[in-house]
Amino acid sequence: MHLFIIDYFISFDTLAPIIYYLKKNKMNVAVCNFNILQDFSQNKIMKYLISMKVKYFSHQPLGLINLIMYYFLKLFIILFPKFILKRCTRLWFFIKRDLDAKKSFFLNKKELKFFLLKNNVKSLTLSENFPINKLEFIYSIAKKNNIKLFLVPSGLALNDQTYHSKRLNLCDKYLKCNNKLIFKNEYEKKKNISKLVIVGSARYDDEWLNKINEIFKLKNKGADKNKLKIAFFIKKGSHWKENNKIENLIKNLKKNKNFQISIRNKPSDILPNKISTFMNDKMNSSEIINWSDVVITGRPSSILVECVKKNKEVLIIDNGSLENTNFYNYEIFKKINIENVYQYLENNLSKDIKLDEENKKKFLKDFITYENKSLKYHLEKIYLNI
């Protein structure tokens, strides 16, 4: 069995296409959710994978005490109304970031080892944003039991990333896209360079994007064909401090009868499904991109790759921090001050937008290359050789 361990939604979003391709190749594949507070069994993509006979384990292997605590939490979340659960923010942060991520409270060595051996697990695949202390714990068990551990970048690199060698030391292969890795020194480079395999971007592979479109049949109920459809990608509590200005911009745009607005929250909160902001959005990221005529965001994000592939005009609000990422250097995006957005939308955008093909080609080549080999080729080469 090839086991994929997920935690935050971003990790599931990153790993889902790899799970799909392996299962399509008739491999034995399973997903284990290590997120104590959130469950992804009702996500449409997860439902599709389950329909392909991918096994889904709703929680990690737990000891008796932790199992009781897990079901107590689930019962608490089910029974209490949303307004009370929303007032328990400190509790959710304590459980997820302190007990779970920092102290690895829910990890049980005996139970995890038994689970891996019982299911004849040959490989473990995780997103690189998995908490490092939990990664250490899992890798130690995997190594002792001759199980390969693969790490996959979460999203695409927006600038040069310096990876601490300790993280690369906790995997057998690092399935990179075009992420630019900078090693601490030559010794660390020689030690880890053989672990790096350029696979390409599974999340933004054409076949997977088409599969997402098939899974999410977009319902345009309420959409006015005569209005310009504007999609906003925002992040609650952003350290870039752009949210207040963007919220005011959205309020002003909604007053214009020629505009139709929809919002997608960044899928990174840790709250239970019942009160999670992004899990209760009307449309997910792919749906809102398909729906939109133009996309506006206050921060660069790898999801903009999908916007470009789907020929959507993208406005990135330049608040002074944008130049720190190398998205800033691509002409495919319109960088604009927030004060000028309203006027720009009124004067310059239509529904028949055509992106510059050369700019589009250059951007996609830099971010999702496969080195002249298909994604399927790379994945088969890695997983079939175990």
Side-chain angles (χ1 to χ4, degrees):
M1 175 191 286
H2 299 290
L3 182 66
F4 288 74
I5 295 177
I6 61 174
D7 190 354
Y8 294 103
F9 175 82
I10 291 176
S11 66
F12 171 59
D13 190 52
T14 298
L15 300 178
I18 302 178
I19 298 167
Y20 162 75
Y21 286 117
L22 296 188
K23 191 60 184 179
K24 186 181 176 184
N25 203 41
K26 302 187 184 305
M27 296 188 189
N28 185 11
V29 185
V31 179
C32 187
N33 180 25
F34 271 55
N35 192 320
I36 293 296
L37 296 179
Q38 295 178 342
D39 175 55
F40 306 107
S41 60
Q42 297 306 305
N43 178 276
K44 288 186 178 180
I45 293 177
M46 184 64 82
K47 282 185 173 182
Y48 179 81
L49 295 175
I50 293 172
S51 74
M52 293 179 71
K53 307 303 181 185
V54 171
K55 295 178 183 177
Y56 176 68
F57 299 97
S58 60
H59 61 79
Q60 65 202 65
L62 297 168
L64 180 59
I65 294 176
N66 287 342
L67 190 62
I68 293 172
M69 182 176 178
Y70 170 80
Y71 282 111
F72 175 79
L73 278 171
K74 293 298 178 183
L75 187 62
F76 176 78
I77 292 167
I78 291 171
L79 294 179
F80 281 82
K82 288 183 179 181
F83 78 92
I84 291 180
L85 297 178
K86 287 179 179 179
R87 294 180 179 179
C88 297
T89 303
R90 289 186 179 181
L91 173 63
W92 311 132
F93 273 77
F94 173 72
I95 291 172
K96 192 72 186 77
R97 294 188 175 174
D98 291 331
L99 282 184
D100 188 26
K102 293 180 181 178
K103 297 180 181 179
S104 304
F105 178 78
F106 294 98
L107 291 179
N108 185 296
K109 186 175 182 179
K110 180 181 177 181
E111 294 294 334
L112 180 57
K113 179 182 177 180
F114 177 77
F115 175 83
L116 297 177
L117 296 179
K118 176 186 176 183
N119 289 285
N120 191 28
V121 174
K122 295 180 179 179
S123 75
L124 296 171
T125 306
L126 300 88
S127 173
E128 67 170 340
N129 64 352
F130 202 76
I132 193 164
N133 59 323
K134 294 171 70 175
L135 179 61
E136 288 175 334
F137 182 93
I138 294 171
Y139 182 65
S140 66
I141 296 175
K143 190 173 183 180
K144 289 178 182 178
N145 292 280
N146 197 31
I147 299 171
K148 300 297 183 183
L149 192 149
F150 304 144
L151 285 181
V152 181
S154 54
L156 304 179
L158 303 182
N159 49 14
D160 289 354
Q161 296 185 31
T162 304
Y163 282 87
H164 193 284
S165 60
K166 191 174 183 181
R167 191 171 288 274
L168 284 176
N169 286 336
L170 299 173
C171 69
D172 296 287
K173 293 293 181 183
Y174 181 87
L175 313 186
K176 67 193 291 286
C177 183
N178 251 16
N179 303 63
K180 301 174 178 65
L181 308 185
I182 303 174
F183 295 96
K184 291 171 65 176
N185 50 50
E186 279 300 313
Y187 171 76
E188 294 295 339
K189 183 176 181 179
K190 290 179 180 179
K191 184 179 178 182
N192 291 302
I193 194 70
S194 63
K195 295 181 178 181
L196 307 182
V197 183
I198 297 182
V199 172
S201 173
R203 172 61 178 84
Y204 301 108
D205 183 62
D206 288 339
E207 182 179 345
W208 180 244
L209 290 180
N210 290 333
K211 181 56 64 176
I212 289 177
N213 289 340
E214 178 185 319
I215 294 170
F216 293 96
K217 294 180 173 64
L218 182 61
K219 297 177 181 179
N220 270 327
K221 292 181 179 180
D224 191 330
K225 294 181 180 180
N226 296 318
K227 293 184 179 183
L228 186 71
K229 296 187 289 294
I230 305 169
F232 276 87
F233 282 90
I234 63 175
K235 175 178 171 59
K236 296 291 184 182
S238 169
H239 64 275
W240 283 29
K241 309 298 183 184
E242 77 273 19
N243 279 352
N244 289 339
K245 290 183 178 180
I246 290 179
E247 287 175 2
N248 288 332
L249 172 63
I250 291 172
K251 288 179 182 179
N252 289 330
L253 291 174
K254 284 182 175 180
K255 295 176 183 177
N256 191 318
K257 296 181 179 179
N258 295 317
F259 299 151
Q260 189 170 5
I261 312 297
S262 194
I263 298 170
R264 173 59 172 165
N265 289 281
K266 187 174 177 64
S268 60
D269 73 47
I270 66 171
L271 304 177
N273 295 38
K274 195 171 179 178
I275 56 171
S276 168
T277 304
F278 78 88
M279 285 190 178
N280 291 287
D281 283 340
K282 292 181 179 179
M283 291 186 280
N284 74 356
S285 299
S286 294
E287 287 179 298
I288 200 172
I289 292 171
N290 284 357
W291 169 87
S292 68
D293 296 312
V294 58
V295 174
I296 300 177
T297 180
R299 53 175 43 234
S301 168
S302 59
I303 195 64
L304 299 185
V305 174
E306 185 172 345
C307 298
V308 172
K309 295 199 81 171
K310 292 181 175 178
N311 294 305
K312 303 296 181 177
E313 178 81 7
V314 177
L315 306 184
I316 305 181
I317 295 173
D318 192 347
N319 56 12
S321 300
L322 184 58
E323 61 186 16
N324 294 328
T325 76
N326 58 7
F327 265 42
Y328 186 84
N329 298 319
Y330 291 91
E331 295 181 8
I332 196 71
F333 303 114
K334 171 71 177 178
K335 279 76 68 173
I336 187 169
N337 292 327
I338 196 165
E339 294 82 7
N340 301 327
V341 171
Y342 191 100
Q343 198 65 43
Y344 181 83
L345 291 173
E346 280 198 320
N347 298 340
N348 295 284
L349 285 174
S350 70
K351 296 178 182 179
D352 301 318
I353 298 166
K354 291 185 179 180
L355 300 184
D356 184 274
E357 286 300 318
E358 285 301 313
N359 288 336
K360 177 181 176 180
K361 184 178 179 180
K362 183 179 186 304
F363 171 74
L364 294 178
K365 181 181 177 182
D366 284 354
F367 277 86
I368 57 172
T369 182
Y370 301 119
E371 285 201 335
N372 300 318
K373 295 286 186 178
S374 70
L375 175 67
K376 182 175 179 290
Y377 166 85
H378 288 295
L379 294 179
E380 287 181 352
K381 185 177 180 181
I382 292 166
Y383 287 92
L384 284 176
N385 288 336
I386 298 176

